[in-house]
Amino acid sequence: MGNACDLTPNGDDDSDTIDNLADNCPAIANTDQLDTDNDSVGNACDLTPNGDDDSDTIDNLADNCPAIANADQQDTDNDGAGDVCDSTPNGDVDPNDLDGDGILMT
């Protein structure tokens, strides 16, 4: 077919009917071209489809500290907050904080 009639003159490696130059994920079929975090990488190929604000390669929704890079996701006290964001990374051991919420009782 001649390029004037060809809908994908630059090829369509993943057979999703999107021209390779316009496809935000040319290796994996994704006709919807969904790109949740608007980083020009389609969700089908994006390791962080919900964004990676701290550039630690962990998706924001899975990151236990999305504002500060912590690729190891260490959470010593298993409270869901990564150690780099946690004001009490070794656990809440202050005797004045009886309920473990990080707020000291006076």
Side-chain angles (χ1 to χ4, degrees):
M1 182 178 301
N3 281 355
C5 298
D6 190 350
L7 297 177
T8 58
N10 299 296
D12 182 14
D13 294 344
D14 57 8
S15 301
D16 63 2
T17 70
I18 310 294
D19 187 87
N20 282 341
L21 292 183
D23 199 333
N24 66 13
C25 181
I28 299 173
N30 63 329
T31 55
D32 63 8
Q33 296 290 288
L34 188 62
D35 179 14
T36 305
D37 59 4
N38 296 313
D39 65 354
S40 300
V41 178
N43 286 4
C45 291
D46 198 344
L47 297 177
T48 57
N50 300 293
D52 180 15
D53 293 342
D54 57 10
S55 301
D56 63 2
T57 70
I58 308 296
D59 187 86
N60 282 341
L61 292 183
D63 199 330
N64 65 15
C65 183
I68 300 173
N70 64 330
D72 65 5
Q73 296 291 288
Q74 187 170 354
D75 180 10
T76 303
D77 60 3
N78 295 312
D79 66 355
D83 288 354
V84 296
C85 290
D86 196 342
S87 60
T88 57
N90 296 311
D92 193 359
V93 295
D94 192 308
N96 294 316
D97 185 6
L98 301 177
D99 60 4
D101 64 0
I103 299 171
L104 302 180
M105 305 289 287
T106 57

